Amino acid sequence: MSIVKIIPGRNGLLRGLPLLLASGFVLSGCAGFSKDGGLNDVKSLTQKHIRQEVVWPKTAAEQQLAETQVKALLQNALDVESAVQLALLSNKGLQASLFNLGISEADVVQAGRLPNPKFSMLYARHNGDYKIEQALTFNIFSLLTMPKMLEIERLNFEKAKQQAALEVVKLAYQTRLAYFNAVAANEQLAYSMQVKESAEASAEMARRMVKAGNWNQLELVREQGFYADASQDVLAAKQKQQASHEALSRLLGIPVHQLALQKRLPDLPDTMAESAQFQQETFEQRLDIQAARSHVQALAKQLGLTKATSVINVLELGPARVLEGRRGDTYKNGVDISFELPLFDWGGAKVARAEATYMQGVNRAAYIAANAQSEIREAHGRYRTSYDIARHYHDEIVPLRKKMLDEKLLRYNGMLVSPFELFSDARAQVASVKTYIEKLNEFWLADTELQMTRIGNLNALEGKE
C-alpha cells in the first residue's frame, strides 16, 4: 500500500469539508435502535403459521412476566397448543437465537455512524530548528460508501428477522411432533399394560388347567409365551414413553417431572386440506424462499459495493498545519489528503469472489424454489394417506374387533367357547386399538409436517442438509 500526502496552501477543500461532514452526520442520524429490536416483524412473519405469542424477555421485569406465564400454563394438563406456547416462553435456545436480532440491529446502527477522525503529528528539532506537522484527517470515502453499507446491513437485519422467524416456527414444529409422540406413548403404555394383564390371567388359568390335568404342556407354554411377549411390550412401551417425555422436556425447557399432558391424542378432523389450494398458498408463504430472495438482494448490493471499492478503499482528508524553521515562526496551514494507490492489488480477486458468491446465491435460491413444489406435494400425499389409514382403523378395523369380542363374550357366557378364546380375542381387540393409536399419531405427525411445508424444507430446518 502506498500513501500520498499533499500539503497545499489554503484552498477550497477546507471549505468543502464541513459540507461532507454535515452530510455524514445526516446519514448517521438515519440509523438508530428500534424499541422492539425487530421482534414485531418476527411476530408478523410467524403469526401466519402459529397462533402463539413470541416472547423475547430482555429485562428483569419481562423475565418475571414470562416465568409467571409458564407457571400458569403448568397448572393444567398441556394440550399441543399450550405446549408450543410453553416452548416459546422457556426454550433458552430460541431466546439465544432471538439475540441475533440485537446483534444485527447493532450492525445497522454502526454502519450508519461516522468513523472516528484520525489525528497525526510529526515533531522534529535540530539546532534550534523545528519541524512540526499536525493533521486531523477523516476517511471521507466512508461517506461515499456509507449509504451502500447501511443498505446492506439493513438487508442483513431483515434476513436476521426471517431467520429468527424460522427458528420460532421450527421450535413450534418440533414441539408439536414431540407432544404427539409423548401422548401416543402414554396411550400405548396404558394399552400394553392391559394386554399384559390379560395375558397374565390367561397364563395363570393355563397353569391351573394343566395342574388339574385338563391341558397339556404345549397349551401351557403357548399361553406363557403370550404373557412373556406382553411383558416385553410393556418394557418397550415404558422406554419409549421415557424417551418421548425427555425429548418434549428439552424442547419445553422444563423438568420432565413437571409435565402433565392430555390423556388422548386429538380425534381425526372431519375435513382435510384440499391439495391444489394448499399448494398455491404454501408456495407463496414459504419463508425459506423469502429468505433466499433477501439473501440474493443483499449479495447484489455487496457486489456493487465491492466493484466500487475494489481500486480505492481509503481516501482520507483533513486539515493540517506545518511549522518548519524557528519555534517562533508561524504555522503553514493546509490539508492532508491520503489515499491508497492500487499498485499491487487492483481488486480483481475481490470482485471475482463477490461475483461467484452472488451467482451461488442466485442458484441456491432457484434450487429452493424448484424443490418447494415437489416437497409440498409429497407432504400432502403423506398427510392424505395417513388420514385414510387412520380413518380405516377408526371406522372399520377397531369396531370389527370390538364386535368379535362382544360375540365371543356372549358365547363364553353360554359356555360355548373357552376362556382362552375370549382372552385371545380381547388381546386382538386391544392390539387393534394400539395400532389405531399408532396410525392416529402418524396422521398428526404428517399434519404437522404438512404445516411446516408452508415454511420451508423440512430437512433443512432439521439441520439434515
Side-chain angles (χ1 to χ4, degrees):
M1 179 181 71
S2 300
I3 302 296
V4 173
K5 289 190 175 182
I6 303 173
I7 311 293
R10 298 178 184 276
N11 57 33
L13 287 175
L14 280 176
R15 292 191 295 273
L17 182 60
L19 181 60
L20 285 171
L21 292 175
S23 63
F25 282 117
V26 170
L27 287 172
S28 65
C30 294
F33 288 100
S34 60
K35 292 182 179 178
D36 64 298
L39 183 62
N40 286 336
D41 290 337
V42 174
K43 289 180 178 179
S44 298
L45 289 170
T46 57
Q47 70 181 11
K48 302 173 185 175
H49 309 285
I50 62 173
R51 289 175 285 178
Q52 291 77 13
E53 181 185 7
V54 183
V55 179
W56 184 17
K58 291 181 285 186
T59 65
E62 292 170 341
Q63 291 171 0
Q64 182 63 40
L65 178 61
E67 291 176 3
T68 303
Q69 292 176 297
V70 168
K71 290 179 181 177
L73 287 171
L74 292 176
Q75 295 299 315
N76 302 308
L78 295 173
D79 58 16
V80 65
E81 303 300 337
S82 57
V84 172
Q85 182 63 74
L86 190 55
L88 297 182
L89 286 166
S90 301
N91 189 286
K92 297 304 179 186
L94 175 64
Q95 297 302 319
S97 298
L98 290 176
F99 275 95
N100 284 331
L101 294 175
I103 296 172
S104 184
E105 188 178 34
D107 289 340
V108 174
V109 175
Q110 185 65 46
R113 289 183 175 173
L114 294 172
N116 292 324
K118 183 173 68 177
F119 176 76
S120 63
M121 180 177 178
L122 183 147
Y123 178 88
R125 179 184 177 187
H126 179 68
N127 292 331
D129 291 337
Y130 291 86
K131 182 173 183 180
I132 302 175
E133 293 182 7
Q134 297 174 341
L136 179 65
T137 58
F138 181 81
N139 187 349
I140 60 172
F141 198 71
S142 64
L143 296 181
L144 303 177
T145 60
M146 182 182 291
K148 186 76 74 174
M149 290 297 298
L150 192 57
E151 188 176 3
I152 290 171
E153 292 301 337
R154 281 175 175 158
L155 285 172
N156 288 334
F157 188 31
E158 294 302 315
K159 184 181 173 184
K161 293 175 186 174
Q162 293 170 351
Q163 187 61 41
L166 278 174
E167 292 294 329
V168 169
V169 294
K170 177 182 172 183
L171 177 61
Y173 161 71
Q174 293 174 330
T175 302
R176 292 178 71 87
L177 293 182
Y179 177 85
F180 290 133
N181 284 333
V183 176
N186 288 344
E187 288 195 80
Q188 293 284 8
L189 177 59
Y191 278 98
S192 294
M193 294 182 72
Q194 287 188 26
V195 174
K196 179 186 175 185
E197 291 174 1
S198 173
E200 184 178 14
S202 180
E204 176 61 26
M205 183 170 289
R207 279 194 293 270
R208 294 179 182 178
M209 294 292 283
V210 170
K211 189 176 182 180
N214 296 326
W215 263 29
N216 57 39
Q217 287 295 324
L218 177 60
E219 291 168 317
L220 172 61
V221 171
R222 185 182 59 190
E223 294 302 322
Q224 288 178 333
F226 286 144
Y227 177 53
D229 290 340
S231 300
Q232 194 69 19
D233 287 344
V234 169
L235 293 176
K238 284 183 177 178
Q239 193 277 331
K240 192 172 183 179
Q241 183 201 40
Q242 181 188 14
S244 61
H245 279 229
E246 291 291 350
L248 181 60
S249 171
R250 289 192 292 271
L251 290 169
L252 299 185
I254 62 172
V256 69
H257 68 269
Q258 294 185 14
L259 285 180
L261 309 179
Q262 297 278 329
K263 294 183 178 178
R264 298 178 61 249
L265 289 168
D267 293 330
L268 284 171
D270 295 330
T271 59
M272 299 182 65
E274 293 298 329
S275 176
Q277 183 180 359
F278 183 84
Q279 289 181 33
Q280 179 65 27
E281 294 175 353
T282 301
F283 191 78
E284 294 172 354
Q285 296 175 3
R286 294 227 350 173
L287 292 182
D288 60 344
I289 294 177
Q290 296 178 20
R293 187 183 299 121
S294 298
H295 181 60
V296 170
Q297 290 174 347
L299 289 176
K301 301 292 183 184
Q302 185 66 51
L303 176 59
L305 179 62
T306 302
K307 287 181 176 178
T309 62
S310 60
V311 178
I312 298 176
N313 57 20
V314 174
L315 176 59
E316 294 182 340
L317 170 67
R321 66 176 189 170
V322 177
L323 182 147
E324 193 166 12
R326 307 300 296 180
R327 189 68 179 90
D329 293 345
T330 57
Y331 279 88
K332 297 176 182 177
N333 295 322
V335 294
D336 184 295
I337 303 174
S338 64
F339 59 91
E340 181 179 283
L341 292 178
L343 296 180
F344 309 108
D345 183 7
W346 286 83
K350 295 178 182 176
V351 173
R353 187 181 191 284
E355 288 176 343
T357 305
Y358 172 72
M359 290 308 301
Q360 182 187 51
V362 169
N363 282 278
R364 192 174 301 281
Y367 172 79
I368 292 173
N371 287 346
Q373 288 279 10
S374 173
E375 292 164 2
I376 296 168
R377 286 194 299 270
E378 181 184 0
H380 192 275
R382 185 161 50 249
Y383 162 82
R384 179 79 209 189
T385 303
S386 61
Y387 179 87
D388 290 341
I389 293 174
R391 176 61 68 186
H392 183 69
Y393 265 89
H394 179 271
D395 293 347
E396 300 292 336
I397 296 180
V398 173
L400 284 175
R401 288 293 185 187
K402 179 67 168 54
K403 181 67 175 176
M404 291 174 64
L405 180 61
D406 292 342
E407 292 295 327
K408 194 62 66 70
L409 182 60
L410 289 175
R411 285 161 176 74
Y412 172 75
N413 291 335
M415 305 292 287
L416 299 176
V417 297
S418 71
F420 301 105
E421 292 180 83
L422 182 63
F423 287 144
S424 177
D425 279 328
R427 288 195 293 268
Q429 195 271 335
V430 172
S432 70
V433 175
K434 287 182 63 180
T435 306
Y436 169 65
I437 294 170
E438 178 183 336
K439 301 305 176 185
L440 183 61
N441 186 37
E442 289 176 0
F443 165 76
W444 285 115
L445 297 183
D447 177 74
T448 302
E449 291 177 355
L450 182 66
Q451 299 306 318
M452 277 301 293
T453 59
R454 294 179 183 272
I455 298 160
N457 179 277
L458 295 177
N459 291 329
L461 290 172
E462 289 290 326
K464 298 177 181 176
E465 67 178 36

